[in-house]
Amino acid sequence: MNRDIYQGAFEKYMHPDYYQLDNNLFLAQFTVMKTLPANNIVACGINENKINKDTHIVDSSSGTFALGLAMTCHHHGLPVTIVGDPAMDEVLIQRLEDLYANIIITDAKNGSGNHQLERLKIVQNVLKDSSNTFWCRQYDNPNNMGAYRGFADQLLSLFGDDLILVGTVGSGGSTSGTITYLREKNPNIRMVVVDTFGSVLFGLPESKRELRGLGNSLQPKNLKHELYDDIHWVAAEPAYAATRELHRQHAVYSGITTGAAYLVAKAIAAEAKPNKKVVFIGPDDGVRYANTVYSDEWLASQGYKELHAPRDFASIHSLTAASEIQRPWVQMNWGRKTLADFSGAMK
């Protein structure tokens, strides 16, 4: 079969398009990147006889993993239930329903105003309803990380091994998985990840997260802290501004996680040597955000009459630097350490 002819849309969604945005700045843009781990998790489950034709697939997601899982289950003819929260917009809900996914939306929050842990409680209830269920466990299932070997091989083929990779982090699967395979070729490849304020992933205290699609309220097993060189925490406004800038300047209609990665990657590329390629990962397109981040009216309703993206970031050397951590964009050299190595981590 011609490599440009796919079995279905879900298969195409597992293959990114590549764009050169500047001399040394490149984008690997997926339409729905989470189709890659969703398909790998389900395929491995089938191969290991954990999933049969009647197995009910279950997981928690309010973002692109939900769509990737729905497309995967649609392809394999498997029933699926996805537990989400109000961040799941109407466009996404409609697409999931069209793909025959059962959707449970919960308003329940924990004490910090986040829904994630409450969603997982509902997943447990769904699992109890039937003995023939399979929980994907996107945060902890190693087949999430394992889905990115082909992507890493493609990056090496296109860009060589003298590169810096930039990606947003939520489950940890895409960044930890891709850099693991890249470093089989060159251990010196740098991995820079983008998190957001209110996320606990790198030691900040949990609080309500305005910027969704990245960050987490729990520590996934797929997040391998010791693989990361630098951490950037980005607030909603600079991520929104960078998303719009990416569209205005390069006609790339992307999601806000792509915008957050672009903000960081552009700054790194500007300081890097000309022959050092900086590649950032775009996890999804902008379809879900047509009525939000791409709407000036919606932005104004959220208090953003004019978007402003800072051109540089504040660097900190300790997680206890609480005053600096409140800035809209903060960087810290992580140095491939574990979270436990930072004894001063904020509680």
Side-chain angles (χ1 to χ4, degrees):
M1 179 180 287
N2 186 303
R3 69 181 181 87
D4 293 325
I5 300 176
Y6 300 98
Q7 291 183 9
F10 97 103
E11 184 179 319
K12 168 60 179 78
Y13 290 169
M14 291 185 282
H15 299 274
D17 295 312
Y18 293 92
Y19 306 104
Q20 182 171 4
L21 305 184
D22 207 337
N23 289 335
N24 63 339
L25 179 62
F26 301 84
L27 166 61
Q29 180 66 62
F30 289 86
T31 303
V32 185
M33 183 182 71
K34 291 299 184 74
T35 308
L36 198 59
N39 184 64
N40 197 53
I41 289 169
V42 170
C44 288
I46 293 171
N47 291 337
E48 295 164 4
N49 295 317
K50 296 176 180 178
I51 297 174
N52 59 44
K53 63 182 180 62
D54 298 315
T55 301
H56 189 168
I57 311 299
V58 184
D59 213 345
S60 164
S61 174
S62 283
T64 52
F65 186 80
L67 183 55
L69 184 58
M71 287 191 291
T72 296
C73 291
H74 183 273
H75 174 76
H76 290 284
L78 296 167
V80 59
T81 291
I82 297 165
V83 182
D85 61 53
M88 189 177 283
D89 56 274
E90 292 182 3
V91 173
L92 178 57
I93 291 173
Q94 184 63 63
R95 293 183 73 179
L96 296 176
E97 290 177 342
D98 283 351
L99 293 168
Y100 306 107
N102 177 47
I103 308 162
I104 300 174
I105 303 293
T106 178
D107 291 322
K109 304 175 184 177
N110 67 0
S112 298
N114 291 317
H115 302 276
Q116 204 157 23
L117 297 176
E118 301 303 315
R119 294 191 332 228
L120 291 174
K121 293 178 182 177
I122 297 175
V123 167
Q124 295 305 311
N125 291 332
V126 174
L127 294 172
K128 293 175 183 176
D129 290 341
S130 170
S131 59
N132 191 7
T133 55
F134 180 85
W135 178 20
C136 292
R137 296 168 47 248
Q138 65 153 318
Y139 303 129
D140 300 333
N141 191 327
N143 292 322
N144 182 339
M145 285 181 58
Y148 292 92
R149 177 176 287 280
F151 175 51
D153 289 342
Q154 198 171 55
L155 290 174
L156 292 169
S157 175
L158 289 170
F159 303 109
D161 63 352
D162 188 14
L163 60 86
I164 300 171
L165 186 65
V166 179
T168 55
V169 63
S171 73
S174 62
T175 52
S176 291
T178 305
I179 195 60
T180 294
Y181 297 125
L182 288 176
R183 286 186 182 150
E184 291 178 356
K185 174 68 174 178
N186 182 355
N188 295 318
I189 296 175
R190 293 182 64 81
M191 180 76 248
V192 179
V193 293
V194 186
D195 195 7
T196 190
F197 302 99
S199 165
V200 305
L201 290 176
F202 295 94
L204 298 194
E206 183 187 12
S207 62
K208 184 177 181 181
R209 301 193 307 276
E210 180 181 356
L211 185 60
R212 300 296 296 266
L214 66 163
N216 216 313
S217 301
L218 49 82
Q219 288 290 342
K221 291 181 181 178
N222 281 318
L223 179 67
K224 309 298 183 184
H225 295 87
E226 65 275 14
L227 296 175
Y228 302 135
D229 295 286
D230 293 285
I231 312 300
H232 288 252
W233 291 277
V234 174
E237 181 175 7
Y240 294 166
T243 302
R244 294 292 294 268
E245 178 184 310
L246 184 59
H247 188 225
R248 288 191 180 107
Q249 294 194 6
H250 301 285
V252 176
Y253 194 63
S254 69
I256 55 178
T257 44
T258 303
Y262 168 61
L263 178 76
V264 172
K266 185 175 63 167
I268 293 172
E271 297 298 324
K273 295 179 180 179
N275 63 336
K276 177 74 73 173
K277 295 180 176 65
V278 179
V279 182
F280 67 102
I281 303 171
D284 66 344
D285 62 21
V287 171
R288 290 180 58 202
Y289 305 98
N291 297 322
T292 54
V293 174
Y294 287 100
S295 166
D296 292 338
E297 291 77 11
W298 181 86
L299 289 169
S301 74
Q302 304 301 304
Y304 301 117
K305 293 185 178 180
E306 292 185 15
L307 286 175
H308 298 284
R311 294 301 162 189
D312 53 17
F313 47 81
S315 292
I316 61 172
H317 304 285
S318 168
L319 290 173
T320 58
S323 60
E324 291 185 306
I325 286 175
Q326 301 306 312
R327 297 179 186 231
W329 180 10
V330 174
Q331 176 269 349
M332 180 174 174
N333 178 263
W334 193 259
R336 304 190 187 183
K337 296 182 175 66
T338 68
L339 188 59
D341 290 329
F342 292 91
S343 58
M346 298 168 64
K347 304 296 184 183

